[in-house]
Amino acid sequence: MMQAPLHCLCLLILYLTIGYSQEGKFSGPLEPKTFSIFEGQEASQVIFQFKASPPAVTFKLTGETDGIFQIQPDGLLYHNRALDRETRAVHKLQLSALDAQGAIVEGPVPITIEVKDINDNRPTFLQRKYEGSVRQNSRPGKPFMYVNATDLDDPTTPNGQLIYEIVIQLPKINNIMYFQINNKTGAISLTLEGSRALDPSKNSNYNLVVSVKDMGGQNENSFSDSTSVDIMVKENIWKAPKPVEIVENSTDPHPIKITQVQWNEPGAQYFLVDKEKLPRFPFSIDQEGGIYVTQPLDREEKDSYVFYAVAKDEVGQVLSFPLEIHVKVKDINDNPPTCPSAVTVFEVQENENIGSNIGTFTAHDDDEENTANSVLVYRIVDQIPTFPKEGLFLVQTYSGVFQLAERSLKKQDTPQYNLTVEVADKDFKTLCHVQVHVIDINDQIPIFEKSDYGSLTLAEDTVVGSTILTIQATDADEPFTGSSKILYRITQGDSDRRLGVDTDPQTNAGYVIIKRPLDFETTAIHDIVFQAENPEPLVSGVNYNTSSSATFRLIVTDVNEVPEFSERVYQAKVSEDVAIGTKVGNVTARDPENLDISYSLRDNGRGWLKIDPVTGEISTVARLDREAESVYRVQVVATEIGGSSLSSIASFHLTLSDVNDNPPRLAKDNSGLFLCHPLQTTGSVIFEATDDDQQSFRGPQFEFSLSSEILQKDWQVSKINGTHAKLSTRHTNFEERVYSIPIHINDGGRPPLIGTVSLQVTFCKCVEGSCFRPAGHQSGMPTVGMAVGILLTTVLVIGIILAVVFIRIKKNEGKDNVESAQASEAQPLKN
């Protein structure tokens, strides 16, 4: 009788030690409950103490007890042996309270026992050995086989989370892994190095040892298993086919299969990519990898094509690198020869030797070069005229070179020959036309009509371009050819090339023209020798002689000329702060007649410069100011002393470089700055500064500060950027009035200059964000009292004026009545 209570007491002590209750309580009423218990715990573990109200005296447990779960009559629920989650993960029980007769007085209520997993099962591979194969050059990262392991532990806990790893690769060349495994899925694929390096001709078989661990591989107490994987490397069949040749203009039905590509595994989808982005792409591919030409090709339109074949998987991912497909269009002889032009013209001099080349005739064939289809054969089939005989010309059969065949030609006999040339390839013939012009040889020299053209006197200021003389020579060669055209040269008397001779192409007359100004001071007399020549060389044995030359004397007279400056524009650069009297430049002029020169300035509007009238030295006579004018431009006048006092003008440009001589100032009027009164929080206004000095590429970099430390208890200044700053209040206790805040602005120059500005800030009442000032507070506006006084005064004045006018009217009326009475008294009665 003592064993049961003792057993219950032991269970109670053990329960209190371990504590399994869902709510952390040892006992409670009979109601639905769920308990979580780790598998593998020792037997006789207490779960919960249920209590029932009278008349219940005992409990009954039913459901999926599996002989493991029991309950004592006093309601103590326990299990009598270890639980196994892999046998049953959840036990569904029903618990009832019974009276002394065994009748149910409470319940049944559901009791759920959840068996929590512990890591008590090791992972195991489904196979002790796996075999697979992969093609060389397969895409890195694309699985070609899987290994799988299972673990009976709960997969939702780390106990059942498996991690795969390749621990051995044999052979392992250069310590490089060719294979990789997805540590979660067991998918085996090639690494990038493996995709590049696998070659069945070198190593066709590889062995991997793959391990699997549970606990996510993160626990040193995790279980593991391993398996062997044999991989055979197969040759890559995804290779570019050999270049394809297609005969142009095929009449066979299209499309025509021209080549084939194939991916390493079935199920690939094939596509063609036009590398050249052609407007018309004449190729297609089927889903077996067959490549077709879809229409006849024309080699003369395009002689080759390059495009790509691409293989993709079922989701559109590219399986490997594209294959480059080359197609060459094979030529057929489908184009006749063409003439280079409607008529080809050759020229031959009448003294040419027999066998001389007179030209090359080159026809064209659109068929492929350097093939039998484009080899051309030339033959002369007709000559007009045949005088003095036929066969005067021959043409090289394959080169098209024309030669004289029989004798030298004479222009007097026939000036022109018309030849018909047959040009043929192996299937076509074309007739072309050639003209041979016989040209006169240059065996006559030009002869002047007179050998001396006398003399001519000209002033040195004669206008350039003036024609001063016409000369004439004649040539007995054929007119309007290079043999009879005459070119005139001045061979003596004009070393400065002031003269030139232009030839009239119709008459061969030569016009002597002034090309450059004449200069008495340089050369007063020119003894000219003219030479007449042909552009075509003279034939051997014929030379120019004295008949082809003539003389002429040009006398130049002096003219008083203006002085000449050495430059049109003189330029100088100085700092704007140079001392008065500083030399800034020098000008020089020369008088052609060697007269003395006096210098003076013109347009010296600011009076900054002066010039030494003798030396031309320019210096300052006043302070310079870059801000007033950065480039000061004046004119320099050079006047000859004596003679006609002629003068000339040059420009002098003085560029002023900046110095820091202007303090910063406010960029604009800031009288409109205000803050709304009373301040609810600290306020601020923004203002901008500027500087008249030249700024760097970074712009101004001003520093801002209050002019007095006393102001710092009420105000502070903060810099926004190089030109803007913010004036802020330090508190809100300000009066409704205008404050003048003196501020220092430092330009940071060399030397630095500080400008002190007064910033006016008005504290005023605001209406809709704008400053509102009552009329009584505005300068120049009357107060209400003043306005009333002005109004009353105005009314009073108007009243006085009206009273005066009324009184005067009354007086006038009384006077009129008196005068009227007097008049009536003096007037006699009428009968």
Side-chain angles (χ1 to χ4, degrees):
M1 294 296 292
M2 295 295 294
Q3 289 182 350
L6 183 60
H7 178 68
C8 292
L9 181 60
C10 292
L11 289 175
L12 177 61
I13 294 171
L14 183 61
Y15 176 77
L16 290 174
T17 303
I18 300 175
Y20 279 97
S21 170
Q22 181 186 24
E23 301 178 1
K25 296 178 181 179
F26 170 71
S27 62
L30 181 62
E31 59 186 6
K33 285 189 176 294
T34 299
F35 301 97
S36 295
I37 303 174
F38 280 104
E39 65 174 332
Q41 297 289 345
E42 295 180 1
S44 301
Q45 298 291 324
V46 174
I47 300 173
F48 194 75
Q49 172 75 59
F50 288 97
K51 294 181 179 181
S53 301
V57 296
T58 187
F59 293 90
K60 179 181 179 181
L61 184 67
T62 59
E64 299 171 343
T65 62
D66 295 345
I68 301 174
F69 299 97
Q70 294 181 349
I71 191 163
Q72 295 289 341
D74 61 355
L76 190 66
L77 177 67
Y78 65 97
H79 59 89
N80 57 28
R81 67 173 184 264
L83 304 180
D84 184 8
R85 191 200 67 83
E86 287 73 39
T87 302
R88 190 187 296 274
V90 178
H91 293 263
K92 299 290 187 181
L93 310 176
Q94 292 82 38
L95 182 61
S96 304
L98 308 179
D99 59 13
Q101 286 73 37
I104 297 176
V105 295
E106 284 188 58
V109 298
I111 305 297
T112 302
I113 307 294
E114 296 176 346
V115 183
K116 297 182 67 175
D117 187 49
I118 64 173
N119 191 24
D120 57 348
N121 292 279
R122 64 174 293 184
T124 58
F125 279 101
L126 299 183
Q127 298 175 213
R128 301 317 303 164
K129 185 174 185 179
Y130 290 83
E131 293 181 350
S133 63
V134 63
R135 297 278 182 182
Q136 68 178 134
N137 304 128
S138 291
R139 190 178 67 183
K142 181 172 177 58
F144 61 85
M145 67 177 297
Y146 289 82
V147 295
N148 298 100
T150 59
D151 191 313
L152 295 178
D153 290 318
D154 187 356
T156 64
T157 68
N159 303 329
Q161 292 178 0
L162 306 183
I163 295 296
Y164 297 92
E165 181 185 10
I166 298 175
V167 294
I168 297 175
Q169 170 190 297
L170 296 175
K172 191 175 184 181
I173 302 169
N174 296 327
N175 202 33
I176 296 174
M177 291 297 292
Y178 291 161
F179 302 91
Q180 59 189 351
I181 191 168
N182 185 306
N183 63 357
K184 292 183 173 58
T185 66
I188 299 177
S189 61
L190 295 182
T191 63
L192 179 61
E193 294 80 4
S195 175
R196 293 173 176 171
L198 283 184
D199 186 350
S201 64
K202 296 179 180 178
N203 287 293
S204 60
N205 292 283
Y206 287 82
N207 176 258
L208 307 179
V209 175
V210 178
S211 72
V212 61
K213 292 182 179 180
D214 60 14
M215 301 295 289
Q218 302 299 315
N219 193 309
E220 62 181 6
N221 297 321
S222 59
F223 293 115
S224 65
D225 192 16
S226 62
T227 188
S228 175
V229 180
D230 290 335
I231 299 174
M232 181 171 65
V233 181
K234 296 181 180 180
E235 181 183 6
N236 179 25
I237 59 175
W238 179 247
K239 296 180 179 179
K242 294 180 180 180
V244 179
E245 284 193 353
I246 301 176
V247 176
E248 67 171 329
N249 298 321
S250 172
T251 57
D252 294 337
H254 286 73
I256 300 173
K257 186 174 181 179
I258 57 174
T259 189
Q260 173 81 37
V261 295
Q262 183 179 351
W263 177 241
N264 294 314
E265 305 294 340
Q269 300 176 6
Y270 300 98
F271 302 89
L272 294 184
V273 177
D274 177 14
K275 176 182 179 180
E276 300 170 291
K277 307 299 181 185
L278 299 174
R280 180 175 58 89
F281 184 63
F283 301 96
S284 65
I285 190 169
D286 63 22
Q287 288 313 301
E288 301 300 324
I291 299 177
Y292 299 80
V293 59
T294 59
Q295 61 192 49
L297 305 180
D298 185 359
R299 193 205 67 83
E300 286 70 44
E301 178 182 330
K302 186 170 177 59
D303 61 359
S304 65
Y305 295 84
V306 179
F307 53 91
Y308 292 108
V310 179
K312 298 183 180 180
D313 61 17
E314 63 279 357
V315 296
Q317 291 291 323
V318 176
L319 292 169
S320 185
F321 53 86
L323 302 181
E324 193 169 74
I325 312 299
H326 291 264
V327 175
K328 179 181 179 182
V329 184
K330 192 173 181 180
D331 187 47
I332 63 173
N333 191 24
D334 57 348
N335 291 281
T338 57
C339 304
S341 60
V343 177
T344 300
V345 177
F346 295 135
E347 289 186 345
V348 57
Q349 288 187 339
E350 58 183 354
N351 66 335
E352 288 287 354
N353 297 323
I354 294 175
S356 297
N357 293 348
I358 62 175
T360 300
F361 182 80
T362 304
H364 180 69
D365 193 308
D366 286 333
D367 291 315
E368 186 174 3
E369 293 182 0
N370 303 318
T371 67
N373 297 331
S374 61
V375 173
L376 302 181
V377 175
Y378 300 91
R379 184 169 68 92
I380 298 174
V381 296
D382 191 21
Q383 171 191 312
I384 299 174
T386 58
F387 180 84
K389 60 181 298 185
E390 291 185 352
L392 293 176
F393 307 93
L394 62 83
V395 62
Q396 298 288 342
T397 303
Y398 292 102
S399 67
V401 174
F402 272 73
Q403 296 174 293
L404 282 178
E406 291 290 336
R407 49 170 287 182
S408 296
L409 307 178
K410 289 190 177 293
K411 184 177 179 66
Q412 293 82 357
D413 296 338
T414 303
Q416 176 179 305
Y417 291 90
N418 296 309
L419 307 178
T420 301
V421 180
E422 178 188 88
V423 185
D425 60 19
K426 66 177 186 177
D427 297 311
F428 298 96
K429 294 180 180 179
T430 301
L431 296 180
C432 300
H433 301 284
V434 175
Q435 285 184 356
V436 179
H437 295 173
V438 182
I439 59 176
D440 186 32
I441 60 175
N442 192 14
D443 56 358
Q444 302 292 322
I445 64 172
I447 298 175
F448 272 100
E449 62 179 5
K450 55 183 178 180
S451 60
D452 187 359
Y453 282 88
S455 63
L456 177 66
T457 300
L458 294 176
E460 64 177 332
D461 61 353
T462 303
V463 177
V464 172
S466 300
T467 300
I468 62 173
L469 179 68
T470 300
I471 57 179
Q472 183 72 61
T474 59
D475 193 302
D477 287 314
E478 180 184 358
F480 307 110
T481 66
S483 300
S484 62
K485 182 179 180 180
I486 298 177
L487 301 178
Y488 297 97
R489 290 190 304 118
I490 298 175
T491 59
Q492 294 180 27
D494 186 26
S495 58
D496 294 330
R497 297 186 178 181
R498 300 181 186 274
L499 303 178
V501 184
D502 294 344
T503 301
D504 186 324
Q506 301 299 320
T507 64
N508 272 340
Y511 302 105
V512 183
I513 299 172
I514 298 177
K515 299 290 186 179
R516 295 176 56 199
L518 302 177
D519 188 4
F520 170 82
E521 288 72 25
T522 302
T523 306
I525 298 176
H526 297 266
D527 289 318
I528 305 296
V529 176
F530 299 111
Q531 179 71 34
E533 299 173 344
N534 301 127
E536 190 73 26
L538 296 172
V539 298
S540 178
V542 178
N543 299 299
Y544 297 107
N545 55 37
T546 56
S547 299
S548 299
S549 62
T551 59
F552 166 67
R553 169 170 284 195
L554 175 62
I555 301 171
V556 181
T557 60
D558 188 28
V559 174
N560 191 15
E561 299 170 275
V562 299
E564 298 175 351
F565 279 98
S566 59
E567 300 179 33
R568 298 299 303 161
V569 178
Y570 295 85
Q571 299 193 56
K573 184 176 182 179
V574 296
S575 176
E576 65 174 327
D577 63 346
V578 297
I580 295 175
T582 300
K583 176 184 175 181
V584 296
N586 202 91
V587 299
T588 56
R590 183 188 70 84
D591 184 73
E593 289 75 38
N594 292 321
L595 297 176
D596 291 335
I597 292 175
S598 175
Y599 299 98
S600 62
L601 295 181
R602 184 185 296 176
D603 295 337
N604 187 17
R606 296 188 181 274
W608 288 352
L609 303 176
K610 71 174 182 178
I611 189 168
D612 188 302
V614 177
T615 65
E617 182 179 286
I618 300 175
S619 57
T620 63
V621 292
R623 287 184 54 83
L624 307 178
D625 185 2
R626 189 205 66 84
E627 287 70 39
E629 198 159 353
S630 60
V631 179
Y632 190 53
R633 296 175 174 87
V634 297
Q635 290 185 329
V636 182
V637 181
T639 305
E640 64 182 15
I641 301 174
S644 302
S645 298
L646 299 178
S647 62
S648 60
I649 297 175
S651 296
F652 180 75
H653 296 172
L654 181 61
T655 300
L656 304 181
S657 57
D658 189 48
V659 296
N660 192 26
D661 58 352
N662 289 277
R665 58 179 175 82
L666 290 176
K668 57 185 177 182
D669 178 22
N670 289 277
S671 60
L673 300 177
F674 70 92
L675 294 172
C676 293
H677 186 275
L679 289 179
Q680 302 301 317
T681 182
T682 57
S684 62
V685 294
I686 295 175
F687 61 95
E688 179 185 3
T690 187
D691 191 324
D692 294 324
D693 289 315
Q694 186 176 12
Q695 302 300 329
S696 67
F697 71 94
R698 294 173 54 239
Q701 297 297 319
F702 298 133
E703 297 295 333
F704 304 87
S705 62
L706 294 170
S707 65
S708 170
E709 292 184 359
I710 298 176
L711 296 171
Q712 293 181 2
K713 65 184 179 60
D714 298 325
W715 304 90
Q716 66 176 359
V717 176
S718 54
K719 180 178 179 179
I720 298 175
N721 55 33
T723 57
H724 290 73
K726 180 168 65 176
L727 175 66
S728 305
T729 63
R730 289 188 177 273
H731 55 78
T732 60
N733 188 24
F734 287 87
E735 298 178 5
E736 186 179 357
R737 65 180 179 87
V738 178
Y739 288 80
S740 295
I741 308 355
I743 296 174
H744 288 331
I745 306 175
N746 189 326
D747 64 6
R750 296 183 181 178
L753 294 181
I754 298 176
T756 302
V757 300
S758 179
L759 204 62
Q760 306 291 319
V761 181
T762 302
F763 285 80
C764 58
K765 290 184 172 60
C766 292
V767 177
E768 296 182 353
S770 299
C771 186
F772 172 76
R773 301 178 186 176
H777 293 174
Q778 295 183 16
S779 176
M781 294 293 292
T783 64
V784 175
M786 292 174 63
V788 172
I790 292 170
L791 181 61
L792 292 176
T793 303
T794 303
V795 172
L796 180 61
V797 171
I798 293 173
I800 294 172
I801 293 172
L802 291 175
V804 172
V805 172
F806 181 75
I807 293 170
R808 289 181 64 86
I809 291 173
K810 287 296 185 179
K811 285 183 178 181
N812 289 336
E813 287 180 352
K815 184 178 180 180
D816 291 342
N817 291 335
V818 171
E819 290 177 352
S820 177
Q822 290 176 351
S824 61
E825 290 176 359
Q827 189 174 7
L829 296 173
K830 293 183 180 180
N831 293 326

